[in-house]
Every structure is written in C-alpha cells, then in structure tokens.
C-alpha cells in the first residue's frame, strides 16, 4: 500500500521495499521520529490524531503531485497515529527514482507538504500537562481569557 | 439548514465534544458557519485567528456556499510528521 495511516509500529524496511525497482538507481527513505524534549521540558509520549478520510485523500494528492513534478513512479508514505512512544517512527516517506537528485528533492518536498496540508495533529504529553503542537496562535491573551464567559 | 460540524484535536478538546450542530441560513457560507460556531463556543479560538474549514474532505475558502448534507470539519493548525 503506497499510502497508509496506521496505529501499528511502522516498518521502514517493508515500506522501502515497495519503491525498489530494477529501473531505479536510488532509494531515499525518510524517517520522522518522536523527540523527547520541547523547550527544556521532557516529553513523555506523543498522541497523534487524524481526520482519517481527508488525511488519506490529501496524502494521495501529495503523492500524485510529487510523481508529476519530479517524474517519479514510486512514492510510498506511511504515517502512524494514536499513542507513539519517544524515539519511535511516526512517519516514513520512501522514494524510488532512476537517479538520486530527484529523489532527494522529492523527499524534502514530500515532508514539507505533509507538515503543511495533511489533517494530522500531534500532542506532546509532559509530566505536568500537554500541548497541541503548532497551535501557539490559538492561545488566548490574558485579557481575552478574562473576558470569556462575558462575551456574546 | 442544520449542519453537523466535526471537530478535531485542539477544537475537540476545547469544545468538549467532537460534533457541534449549527443552524445556518440557506445560502450560508463557510465564514457564516464559523461565525455561528464561535458564537456557540467562544473559547474555540481567539477572535483574530482564522478557523480553517474542510468541506467534503477538501479545504474550503471562507466564501464557499454550504449545501445541506455537507461534511463540514474544523481543522486546527496541523502538525503531522
């Protein structure tokens, strides 16, 4: 399966094998792994949530875009969802191509696009709380927060 | 018309539920819908933040006109990878 959302542990070798062809001289596999810290705080675990139907559809669109732009035929993307422990693999992008250059470029673009458009969210869980990543602009200022409950 | 709007991640937690039902006029746009959701759930997002909406699993601009039965979802900032 060239696009996959799964709660199971990702197997990068298996995903890489999907894009290997005798006509390809290059295989690039990118692994996104879960980091154990944020601004000095220890991250205990990560929780990934997806809008499944749209995420799969948008991943396939990204895959088609990459294949068209870089003239590729083999692109596989797997994203883990659910609870993911520290140091585990949350994303695998594998790209097979005749030559390395388009493979590297396509891989970089794939990860950038995934982070921009795919409706998947990650929450970092700390000892004393949690945080939805990339939602800083949604914090209420103290004035706004104190005004809540009186609005309408 | 009434629409069931699905909420994910930050929005789901702030609303305390994963679906909110909103009534909007026929011919209402995405931005009319987000105005109504904000009225119901003021703590969803600060007023200066634009709420991103997906209609039928595609991102929809604020002027898109909604139809009865549309699958409408509010999409907080994404952070896959």
């Amino acid at each position: 399966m060239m696009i996959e959302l799964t709660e199971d542990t990702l197997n990068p070798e298996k995903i890489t094998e999907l894009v290997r062809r005798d006509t390809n001289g290059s295989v690039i596999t990118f692994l996104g792994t879960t980091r154990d810290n944020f601004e000095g705080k220890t991250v205990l675990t990560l929780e990934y949530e997806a809008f499944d139907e749209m995420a799969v559809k948008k991943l396939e669109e990204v895959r088609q875009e990459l294949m068209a732009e870089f003239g590729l035929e083999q692109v596989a993307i797997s994203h883990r969802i659910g609870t993911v422990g520290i140091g585990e693999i949350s994303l695998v992008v594998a790209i097979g191509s005749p030559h390395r250059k388009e493979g590297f470029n396509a891989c970089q673009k794939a990860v950038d696009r995934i982070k921009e458009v795919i409706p998947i969210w990650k929450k970092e869980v700390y000892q004393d709380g949690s945080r939805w990543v990339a939602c800083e602009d949604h914090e209420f200022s103290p004035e706004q927060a104190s005004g809540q409950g009186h609005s309408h | 018309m009434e629409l069931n709007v699905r909420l994910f991640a930050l929005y789901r937690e702030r609303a305390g539920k994963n679906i909110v039902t909103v009534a909007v006029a026929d011919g209402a746009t995405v931005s009319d819908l987000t105005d109504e959701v904000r009225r119901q759930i003021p703590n969803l997002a600060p007023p200066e933040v634009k709420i991103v909406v997906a209609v039928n699993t595609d991102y929809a601009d604020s002027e898109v006109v909604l139809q009865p039965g549309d699958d409408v979802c509010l999409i907080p900032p994404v952070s896959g990878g």
Side-chain angles (χ1 to χ4, degrees), chain A residues 57-107:
Chain A
K57 176 176 160 180
K58 293 289 154 194
L59 283 170
E60 181 59 30
E61 285 177 14
V62 166
R63 185 172 166 269
Q64 295 295 334
E65 276 171 34
L66 292 167
M67 294 197 299
E69 180 175 348
F70 297 96
L72 307 173
E73 290 181 7
Q74 286 80 41
V75 175
I77 305 171
S78 295
H79 204 301
R80 180 116 176 246
I81 52 175
T83 302
V84 181
I86 295 306
E88 293 189 33
I89 298 165
S90 52
L91 172 66
V92 179
V93 176
I95 295 178
S97 54
H99 304 283
R100 72 184 183 285
K101 196 171 179 186
E102 62 268 32
F104 277 118
N105 290 341
C107 192

Side-chain angles (χ1 to χ4, degrees), chain B residues 3-4 19 24 26 28 30 33 36 41 47 51 57 67 69 78-79:
Chain B
L3 290 166
N4 292 321
I19 293 181
V24 290
D26 289 349
V30 162
L33 177 122
E36 183 52 34
I41 312 167
I51 294 179
T57 65
Q67 308 295 330
V78 301
S79 54

